[in-house]
Amino acid sequence: MKDKVIQNAKKDLPLYLKDFQDFWKSSVGEISDDDLYKTYRATLVFKNWKLSLNTIGIKDYDLILNELFEDINSSFFLALFGQYRSAYMHMRSSIELSLQLLYFLHHPIEYQQWKDGDFVIKIDKLIEYLNKHPFFKVDISSLLQSIFQNWKHFSKHIHGESPIFFQCEKDVRKTNSFSRKDFGIWKSNFEKNVYYLNKLFLLFFKTDFNRIPEASRNILTDLLKEDEKDLMNG
């Protein structure tokens, strides 16, 4: 039986690769330049946060920042392959890691315990902690609520709370071809997720903002809405 399975696997793997290649070409051909600009720009956010924090002397949390980059990048590339349920799972992870990072910055003992696998903190406690954090000079309760609502929505994909969150129920899987509907829904959630997390980081590190490289400042503030452009002034 083992030899038969291996024989079939070696025959099927090139077919899987061709399917992925064909779907990738279809996705890249279907999405607009504006779609590509906005989604790819979002993948640059946490790479630039790592560079920015390193510049101001924060280098002990690269482990989390690296994984944040992996989460956002993975969501982007999985979406291009039509693997939307997995893409949403990475977005939920990006929320949890972002909030944990801001918490661990002032809790080094818990950070070490977490790295050792001996510390867990729930998202509601992280939200409560950040909502009272003195680094924030403006009310961030609505921002945190938006982040929490995203987390709950992305969790539905992980837990399969309804068949509508299943990969097999997506149009892309039923037709085995690019779906503008599925991509558009993912893109909206993806952009909002990165926008909220980036805004949270900008407000948290506002005091140090002018110390980070100008190129990174431009990328990070470019995600803000027009009426928020002066958010980092003063």
Side-chain angles (χ1 to χ4, degrees), residues 102-133:
L102 299 184
Y103 175 84
F104 288 139
L105 281 168
H106 296 141
H107 294 82
I109 295 176
E110 288 84 351
Y111 180 49
Q112 185 58 53
Q113 292 173 338
W114 174 79
K115 289 196 292 183
D116 293 338
D118 293 328
F119 179 82
V120 176
I121 184 167
K122 301 295 185 181
I123 191 167
D124 58 329
K125 296 299 181 183
L126 290 168
I127 296 284
E128 180 182 352
Y129 168 78
L130 291 173
N131 201 32
K132 299 177 181 178
H133 201 290

Side-chain angles (χ1 to χ4, degrees), residues 138 199 202-203 206 224 227-234:
V138 296
K199 184 176 178 180
L202 285 170
L203 291 171
K206 182 176 180 178
L224 294 174
D227 61 354
E228 297 173 331
K229 292 297 186 180
D230 62 348
L231 189 66
M232 305 311 294
N233 297 328

Side-chain angles (χ1 to χ4, degrees), residues 166-203:
F166 288 3
Q167 177 70 19
C168 64
E169 287 298 300
K170 304 291 185 188
D171 287 350
V172 66
R173 183 53 53 227
K174 291 178 178 179
T175 64
N176 201 31
S177 60
F178 179 84
S179 165
R180 168 57 61 178
K181 174 187 172 183
D182 289 339
F183 180 81
I185 293 172
W186 167 82
K187 176 178 174 288
S188 176
N189 282 288
F190 182 71
E191 290 177 4
K192 285 190 293 185
N193 181 50
V194 176
Y195 162 74
Y196 290 140
L197 296 178
N198 180 60
K199 184 176 178 180
L200 185 70
F201 274 51
L202 285 170
L203 291 171

Side-chain angles (χ1 to χ4, degrees), residues 16 23 28 39 41 47 49 60 67-68 86 102 125 142 152 162 165 169 172 191 214 216 218:
Y16 291 146
F23 197 96
V28 172
T39 52
R41 178 184 60 174
K47 178 186 291 186
W49 271 116
D60 294 336
E67 190 64 11
L68 278 167
S86 297
L102 299 184
K125 296 299 181 183
S142 62
K152 289 202 299 183
S162 166
F165 301 109
E169 287 298 300
V172 66
E191 290 177 4
E214 182 180 3
S216 292
N218 291 338

